[in-house]
């Protein structure tokens, strides 16, 4: 990581947006230009947008927030998140705050090895072809580095070649070659696809047969990240609920997800709420992350939980492991000014560090969801967000929203019509109370 950050900023949530931005700009040492870019209402110029995709007719915006309180490997990190879902950012920050007592999150990530797949069809003797490909390993590796010489110069490049015979439906047999390449700080999809296409003729020359698909695998299981966290019972205690009870309740929730794919899908969705939001903020391909995460969750032949929780020695211990192919350089990161800003907020200096933070955020998000679900349920928190949205829709001024939202919840009828009645009756004239952060 680069310059140390302070991620604990009490009272942040209660500040007006412009003051939050100024505070973040100071903490993250943003330049005046970067601060102004953050404040700009048009985060992506239309001509830049039009260069990114096709048939562009405008720009679509989502909120950019910052999850606070994160400590990862002993350093404070500000976590930029782009999401439309209420409660995700607040939940991550709350989970990170409770984790500080136990030292925060510990995380590590594998070297950034991606897999390029080449499918060879019509190979006369697949097993003999595999043996020939294995014997030609050095030649194949050299070819990869010829295709992407920059990667090798930057310390990455070709790492390994794996070959297998694949029995497919309709009695078809393929030879499948995996090209393992260290892509450095890039996500690497383009480079890997170029390598797979460029290496395929040589592979076919060695193996016989014809190259068919030549594309990266999104099951990036050589590029995994792990995080763990230890919540002390004292930090888990809730009103009228001892911390040990809360820990046991979260463990029970974890066991449910570990045993049941229906629950595991939702458990993992909550994890990806956090991971995708940071991926989006940093210009990364969240669909690739989703594909990798869910394929990895099914690696043992049944779909399981990506994060697990156990009560151990006076604490609740959580662990997560998943493939995280993210980059800090590359066309989409460099081409989007907000993504560059988000990376600056994070202060990470490599793709591996970014993957470590993502793993920690996924684990925090999962903890927050399980703690809420296993105790008071999630609707209570959701309802107060919803009530604030209803109050705003009914025409409440910003200083009336909190009180009106409270009055709506107390009335048991969180509807715009009811909000209008309460506004007219003066139920929202009390000063606003800050939301949770
Ligand atoms: C909602 O977006 C995510 C949760 O459903 C996750 C979970 O159930 O663990 C709350």
């Amino acid at each position: 990581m680069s310059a140390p950050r302070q991620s604990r900023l009490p009272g942040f949530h209660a500040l007006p947006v412009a003051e939050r931005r100024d505070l973040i700009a100071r903490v993250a040492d943003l330049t005046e230009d970067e601060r102004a870019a953050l404040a700009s209402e048009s985060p992506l110029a239309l001509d830049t947008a039009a260069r990114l995709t096709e048939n562009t007719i405008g720009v679509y915006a989502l909120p950019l927030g910052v999850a606070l309180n994160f400590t990862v490997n002993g350093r404070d990190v500000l976590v930029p998140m782009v999401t439309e879902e209420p409660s995700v950012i607040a939940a991550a920050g709350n989970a990170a705050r409770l984790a500080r007592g136990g030292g925060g999150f510990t995380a590590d990530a594998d070297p950034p090895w991606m897999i390029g797949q080449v499918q060879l069809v019509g190979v006369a003797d697949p097993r003999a072809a595999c043996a020939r490909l294995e014997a030609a390993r050095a030649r194949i590796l050299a070819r990869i580095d010829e295709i992407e010489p920059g990667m090798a110069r930057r310390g990455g490049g070709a790492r390994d070649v794996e070959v297998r015979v694949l029995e497919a439906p309709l009695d078809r047999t393929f030879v499948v070659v995996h090209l393992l390449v260290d892509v450095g700080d890039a996500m690497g999809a383009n480079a890997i696809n170029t390598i797979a296409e460029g290496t395929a003729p040589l592979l076919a020359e060695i193996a016989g047969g014809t190259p068919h698909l030549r594309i990266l695998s999104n099951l990036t299981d050589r590029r995994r990240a792990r995080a763990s966290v230890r919540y002390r019972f004292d930090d888990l205690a809730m009103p009228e609920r001892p911390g040990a009870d809360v820990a046991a309740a979260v463990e029970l929730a974890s066991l449910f997800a570990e045993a049941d794919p229906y629950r595991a899908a939702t458990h993992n969705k909550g994890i990806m709420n956090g991971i995708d939001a940071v991926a989006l903020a940093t210009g990364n391909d969240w669909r690739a992350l989703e594909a990798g995460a869910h394929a990895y969750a099914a690696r043992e032949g049944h779909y399981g939980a990506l994060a697990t929780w156990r009560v151990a020695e006076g604490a609740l211990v959580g662990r997560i492991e998943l493939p995280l192919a993210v980059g800090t350089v590359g066309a989409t990161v460099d081409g989007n000014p907000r993504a560059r800003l988000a990376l600056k907020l994070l202060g990470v200096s490599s793709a591996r560090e970014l993957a470590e933070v993502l793993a920690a955020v996924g684990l925090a998000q999962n903890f927050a969801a399980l703690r809420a679900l296993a105790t008071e349920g999630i609707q209570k928190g959701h309802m107060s967000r919803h009530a604030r949205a209803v109050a705003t829709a009914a025409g409440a001024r910003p200083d009336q929203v909190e009180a009106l939202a409270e009055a709506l919840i107390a009335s048991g009828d969180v509807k715009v019509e009811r909000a209008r009645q309460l506004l007219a009756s003066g139920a929202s004239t009390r000063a606003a109370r800050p939301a949770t952060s």
Side-chain angles (χ1 to χ4, degrees):
M1 309 237 173
S2 60
R5 301 255 189 288
Q6 165 62 271
S7 70
R8 179 101 188 93
L9 306 173
F12 183 79
H13 62 269
L15 297 174
V17 173
E19 287 178 37
R20 286 185 202 149
R21 201 157 47 216
D22 289 345
L23 180 53
I24 290 294
R26 276 201 304 283
V27 174
D29 206 17
L30 299 188
T31 64
E32 202 39 55
D33 281 356
E34 286 167 337
R35 208 198 61 79
L38 200 52
S40 154
E41 300 240 332
S42 66
L44 187 62
L46 201 53
D47 58 345
T48 311
R51 277 197 300 274
L52 284 176
T53 55
E54 309 74 38
N55 295 358
T56 304
I57 55 168
V59 173
Y60 181 98
L62 286 170
L64 163 64
V66 184
L68 302 178
N69 306 321
F70 272 88
T71 300
V72 181
N73 294 335
R75 286 171 183 269
D76 273 19
V77 201
L78 293 170
V79 180
M81 299 177 85
V82 168
T83 179
E84 86 298 346
E85 185 167 331
S87 302
V88 165
I89 298 176
N94 283 334
R97 181 170 49 76
L98 296 180
R100 292 177 83 87
F105 297 85
T106 305
D108 71 282
D110 296 331
W113 288 20
M114 295 290 282
I115 301 170
Q117 292 197 293
V118 178
Q119 175 195 19
L120 296 167
V121 301
V123 177
D125 180 347
R127 272 164 228 293
C130 285
R132 286 197 301 280
L133 286 163
E134 269 156 17
R137 183 174 172 276
R139 209 171 138 208
I140 299 167
L141 292 177
R143 180 81 192 105
I144 292 172
D145 284 339
E146 264 167 40
I147 295 167
E148 284 284 339
M151 209 165 254
R153 269 200 308 275
R154 289 189 295 272
R159 291 292 183 262
D160 208 354
V161 178
E162 291 173 351
V163 190
R164 77 202 139 100
V165 176
L166 185 69
E167 303 297 347
L170 303 182
D171 284 332
R172 299 301 299 269
T173 302
F174 309 126
V175 170
V176 176
V177 183
H178 281 189
L179 306 167
L180 272 58
V181 181
D182 182 327
V183 295
D185 286 324
M187 185 276 186
N190 266 327
I192 292 295
N193 294 340
T194 305
I195 286 168
E197 289 188 6
T199 314
L202 172 65
L203 301 177
E205 183 193 313
I206 297 166
T210 312
H212 198 50
L213 298 197
R214 299 144 300 159
I215 185 76
L216 89 167
S217 170
N218 284 121
L219 176 51
T220 56
D221 59 1
R222 306 307 165 89
R223 198 179 184 180
R224 302 197 297 268
R226 290 154 288 275
S228 61
V229 67
R230 192 175 163 275
Y231 285 101
R232 301 178 311 191
F233 286 166
D234 283 353
D235 295 325
L236 292 177
M238 299 172 87
E240 292 168 29
R241 194 124 192 207
D245 253 39
V246 175
V250 171
E251 185 185 70
L252 271 181
S254 175
L255 297 175
F256 182 13
E258 290 167 50
D260 176 36
Y262 287 90
R263 173 57 207 153
T266 324
H267 180 95
N268 293 343
K269 189 274 182 181
I271 292 170
M272 300 312 287
N273 274 346
I275 291 178
D276 286 348
V278 187
L280 203 46
T282 54
N284 274 288
D285 180 346
W286 81 96
R287 288 88 55 211
L289 297 182
E290 287 279 343
H294 297 295
Y296 189 69
R299 68 194 177 285
E300 281 162 10
H302 61 92
Y303 187 87
L306 291 167
T308 56
W309 298 89
R310 291 292 181 271
V311 176
E313 295 164 18
L316 173 69
V317 178
R319 292 183 203 289
I320 188 170
E321 179 177 60
L322 75 168
L324 280 170
V326 285
T328 53
V329 298
T332 41
V333 180
D334 295 335
N336 185 334
R338 282 292 156 92
R340 283 199 306 274
L341 252 177
L343 284 169
K344 179 148 183 198
L345 290 189
L346 271 165
V348 292
S349 53
S350 69
R352 277 171 91 168
E353 282 177 344
L354 178 58
E356 289 168 2
V357 173
L358 284 169
V361 172
L363 191 58
Q365 211 73 59
N366 184 234
F367 167 78
L370 297 194
R371 176 168 168 269
L373 289 165
T375 56
E376 60 189 18
I378 57 164
Q379 279 314 85
K380 196 171 159 212
H382 276 204
M383 197 41 91
S384 56
R385 292 260 167 196
H386 177 59
R388 272 182 232 128
V390 168
T392 306
R397 294 192 314 266
D399 63 322
Q400 294 176 314
V401 167
E402 284 301 323
L404 181 55
E406 276 175 25
L408 277 170
I409 291 170
S411 78
D413 184 20
V414 187
K415 302 265 165 43
V416 175
E417 198 39 52
R418 181 79 176 129
R420 289 204 183 103
Q421 287 165 6
L422 288 167
L423 259 184
S425 72
S428 54
T429 47
R430 283 190 286 129
R433 198 171 52 80
T436 53
S437 77

